[in-house]
Amino acid sequence: MSGRVSLRVGVLLCPICLFLRLTELDQQLLLFMCVGVSLVPMAIICILSNILLLLPELKIHFLLEGHVTREAKWATGLWGSGFLVLLGARAFVRSSRTKGCWAFRSQMCDSRNTCLQMMCQVLHSGVCLLAAGICCLVSATGLVQGPLCLYNTTTGPTWGVPLHPLPDSPSQYLYNRTLWSVCLRPHDVVQWNVVLFSVMGGASALQTVLCAANVLNSLLGLILGHGVGHNQVSPVSD
């Protein structure tokens, strides 16, 4: 029963398993391959989005002068949903090429090496989940707070975040494009941030879902083990 639960999680992540006649182990290996391959383009999207967020108008002098949105400078799309997720994806793909008990315990997991491999799979998925989750939260924060830009005040032009939400009212600039003209420089920085933070947030959210399901699937296989009907009985020698 426990093996079936873990298998159903894998089928939800990799529907191709429904069309191929594969053993439970082969389906799990295919699942890790699917997750790893799927994470790679999302990681590349997050890396490119974060780099572009650091270069408004595609000019580096804004970054050198410190006139870049705070959430972009945190670079969670580079080290979080980018570098760390790529490392996890590499581990998933490599594990899919290794025959062994990864998501289902075989013979009560009597091999220490096998158990260690399974725990490493849980660890890789957990690190990717945390990194992608942080990037998703930071992207949402940057989207809500608005960009750092040059805008007019009573004392003259100054750098700040004029579109950030006030304590007594939610942020309205996302629904009112007439407010976007308050930012003078960088040019079109509001559109720039809205598009790129939305793309990076969406990609990291998908990464979070995939990694969370992979953590669940790996934990089910590690804790619950293989189905009862697959136990092997060795003959007793006289």
Side-chain angles (χ1 to χ4, degrees), residues 158-208:
T158 185
W159 287 91
V161 187
L163 300 176
H164 68 88
L166 299 175
D168 56 346
S169 63
S171 179
Q172 298 293 332
Y173 87 95
L174 291 173
Y175 311 102
N176 187 359
R177 296 192 61 175
T178 58
L179 299 176
W180 295 11
S181 60
V182 69
C183 288
L184 305 177
R185 294 196 63 193
H187 297 298
D188 299 324
V189 67
V190 181
Q191 296 94 317
W192 189 263
N193 275 30
V194 168
V195 171
L196 292 176
F197 271 127
S198 298
V199 170
M200 189 166 68
S204 58
L206 289 175
Q207 289 177 335
T208 303

Side-chain angles (χ1 to χ4, degrees), residues 107-128:
Q107 297 179 1
M108 299 304 294
C109 196
D110 54 357
S111 172
R112 291 184 180 181
N113 184 50
T114 297
C115 290
L116 179 61
Q117 288 178 335
M118 290 162 37
M119 287 187 290
C120 287
Q121 182 72 15
V122 175
L123 178 62
H124 289 145
S125 301
V127 170
C128 290

Side-chain angles (χ1 to χ4, degrees), residues 105-157:
R105 290 187 297 179
S106 176
Q107 297 179 1
M108 299 304 294
C109 196
D110 54 357
S111 172
R112 291 184 180 181
N113 184 50
T114 297
C115 290
L116 179 61
Q117 288 178 335
M118 290 162 37
M119 287 187 290
C120 287
Q121 182 72 15
V122 175
L123 178 62
H124 289 145
S125 301
V127 170
C128 290
L129 173 62
L130 180 62
I134 291 175
C135 183
C136 185
L137 290 177
V138 170
S139 299
T141 303
L143 193 61
V144 171
Q145 292 294 322
L148 176 71
C149 64
L150 183 69
Y151 67 103
N152 286 321
T153 63
T154 55
T155 59

Side-chain angles (χ1 to χ4, degrees), residues 6 153 214 234:
S6 183
T153 63
N214 209 30
S234 300

Side-chain angles (χ1 to χ4, degrees), residues 12-85:
L12 289 176
L13 283 178
C14 191
I16 193 174
C17 296
L18 293 173
F19 303 98
L20 299 176
R21 288 190 172 184
L22 300 175
T23 64
E24 293 180 354
L25 175 58
D26 288 336
Q27 289 186 12
Q28 283 299 319
L29 298 179
L30 182 59
L31 164 64
F32 294 141
M33 173 68 78
C34 289
V35 173
V37 171
S38 300
L39 289 175
V40 171
M42 299 178 196
I44 294 175
I45 289 174
C46 290
I47 291 173
L48 294 177
S49 298
N50 208 141
I51 291 175
L52 291 176
L53 283 168
L54 294 172
L55 301 172
E57 298 184 17
L58 296 179
K59 297 178 180 179
I60 195 172
H61 71 85
F62 291 109
L63 177 61
L64 297 178
E65 296 171 358
H67 296 152
V68 174
T69 304
R70 177 188 60 180
E71 288 77 13
K73 290 189 290 187
W74 289 348
T76 53
L78 295 178
W79 63 263
S81 287
F83 179 70
L84 289 179
V85 170

